[in-house]
Amino acid sequence: GDSMAIRDFSRAIMLDPLCTKAYVNLGQCLQLKGLYKSAWYQFARALAINPDCIETREARAILNLQLHEFDSALQDMNAALQGRKTAGLLTTRAVIHMYRQDSRSAVLDLEAALTVDPLYFLALFNAGCIAARQRLFDKALEYFDLASRLSPEEYTSLNNKAVLLAISKDLEQAHQEAEFAHVLCPTAAFVQVNRGHIFLKMGKFEEAACAYTQAIDNDPHCSPALKARAFCYESLGWTEKALADFRSIEDLDSVA
């Protein structure tokens, strides 16, 4: 487990205090346990030994992103990309730009990533996300379609395709993509919510309520699912069930 890995990497550092990989691996283990400050310290120690280590720069950039230190994350990725330009590094910097609300720079990095590797899944996926935000739905669908064909087991691209197809009013195809995503990851609440929304657009209130129920089973605090299910129950004339959901929504709102 993580605790044993932390112990082993700590021992490796004691045996070789200049082993940067041990510091990086230790930092990543700490990061997974949510010990972000301790992880950051390990990455800093590794960079003190080798400031040009690309893997360490990227690792600390991702950690800074989790800490919402976007400018620091960008600085680390800029330093990493001076060493080499890979599709992965360019995509990571694009994601940082997205968090900084700099869509133009993100698009440029994703285009560069796809020039290096036209079939890089994460670049395609994030390019689709940006295109969707810009309401370039046909372009976004192209990105998500290629991404889903490259990684058929990746349910997020299928889910996003379903949402865009529903927006485009191609409900039958949207339903099909949503069902594929559901099969791949039946425990993702947001997948079930989107399935429910598509059923709702198709006028299938009972099926929609069932999908929302699955979302709530996976995440009891999923307010969008509760609100949508209450609407379904109300539309079906199931007043008591609708009232119970409205009370649950009020309870969640009071906690928030």
Side-chain angles (χ1 to χ4, degrees), residues 96-97 99 163-164 173 183 217 249:
I96 294 168
H97 286 313
Y99 275 96
V163 172
L164 291 174
Q173 187 62 34
V183 169
D217 288 343
I249 294 164

Side-chain angles (χ1 to χ4, degrees), residues 12 25 48 114 137 146 156 174 190 194 209 229 237:
N25 288 333
L114 291 170
F137 298 137
L146 181 52
T156 51
F190 69 92
N194 287 326
R229 190 174 69 175

Side-chain angles (χ1 to χ4, degrees), residues 74 92-103 105-106 109:
L74 183 59
T92 299
R93 189 169 69 177
V95 172
I96 294 168
H97 286 313
M98 290 166 71
Y99 275 96
R100 297 177 76 246
Q101 306 298 316
D102 185 356
S103 295
S105 295
D109 271 346

